[in-house]
């Protein structure tokens, strides 16, 4: 049996950790993994949208959310700011979140696509290429549930769901999490009927969160 010094190799001195040194934790590892992922997204040119964007748009919210809202793609305001849901739709979403009483420590928001598609037209091929980023984000964020915003987000996260106007406002189960579909807040700005539908379904989400 080779004890210390018997192999002829020099013993590597151990580094003594002082009581004041920060202790690496699972949380700091997760934070570092998140920062690496964000840098990868900002550098990405895997699809044609990467060369047209002003900024890649990664995430807004806490890194320990109960709920993650999932939209489709950044618009012009988000592309300029590099932050998701900061335009008119974002203001409507923020108002809804305040109305159901979610605290900033409860939630976050991101999009399927990290770069703005031309004319804000959702690009399915780009979303397929971009999907691994979304999956890695959700694996790091580990929310209890997802709220999809609009038809494309619902289809991407629950391909077996019925059309969004049928599915919205009713919780579903997808894999280990619940999923609550809503129409897109931009759609809610289009007509009185859709505004009422948005408000009705947001209230249903609030009741679902209280019950859960
Ligand atoms: S949309 Fe996604 S895959 Fe395409 S360049 Fe942007 S980050 Fe990369």
């Amino acid at each position: 049996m080779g004890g210390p010094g018997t192999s002829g190799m020099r013993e590597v001195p151990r580094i003594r950790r002082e009581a004041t040194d920060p202790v690496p934790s699972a949380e700091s590892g997760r934070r570092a993994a998140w920062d690496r992922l964000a840098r990868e997204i900002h550098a990405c040119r895997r699809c044609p949208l990467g060369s047209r964007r002003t900024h890649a748009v990664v995430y807004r919210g806490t890194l320990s959310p109960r709920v993650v809202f999932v939209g489709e793609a950044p618009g012009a305001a988000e592309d300029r700011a590099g932050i998701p849901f900061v335009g008119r739709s974002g203001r409507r979403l923020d108002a809804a979140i305040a109305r159901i009483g979610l605290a900033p420590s409860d939630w976050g928001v991101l999009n399927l696509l990290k770069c703005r598609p031309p004319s804000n037209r959702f690009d399915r091929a780009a979303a397929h290429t971009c999907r691994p980023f979304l999956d890695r984000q959700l694996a790091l964020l580990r929310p209890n549930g997802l709220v999809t915003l609009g038809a494309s987000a619902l289809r991407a996260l629950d391909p077996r769901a019925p059309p969004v106007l049928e599915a919205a406002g009713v919780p579903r189960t997808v894999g280990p999490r619940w999923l609550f579909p809503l129409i897109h807040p931009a759609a809610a700005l289009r007509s009185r009927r859709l505004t009422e539908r948005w408000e009705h379904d947001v209230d249903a989400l609030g009741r679902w969160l209280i019950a859960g």
Side-chain angles (χ1 to χ4, degrees), residues 41 44-50 53 113-115 126 129-130 133:
I41 294 172
C44 180
R45 298 285 188 277
R46 281 181 210 164
C47 84
L49 303 185
R53 71 182 177 222
L113 277 172
K114 311 305 175 200
C115 304
T129 308
C130 205
F133 287 137

Side-chain angles (χ1 to χ4, degrees), residues 147-186:
V147 178
T148 52
L149 301 169
S152 300
L154 175 60
R155 202 178 311 115
L157 291 168
D158 186 0
R160 296 192 322 185
V164 69
L165 281 174
E166 203 180 308
V170 181
R172 309 172 60 77
T173 302
V174 179
R177 310 186 175 95
W178 56 262
L179 182 150
F180 198 103
L182 291 177
I183 61 171
H184 197 281

Side-chain angles (χ1 to χ4, degrees), residues 51-70:
S51 55
R52 298 198 186 108
R53 71 182 177 222
T54 309
H55 294 106
V57 177
V58 177
Y59 182 67
R60 172 163 70 97
T62 174
L63 291 189
S64 304
R66 262 173 80 200
V67 183
V68 170
F69 293 81
V70 183

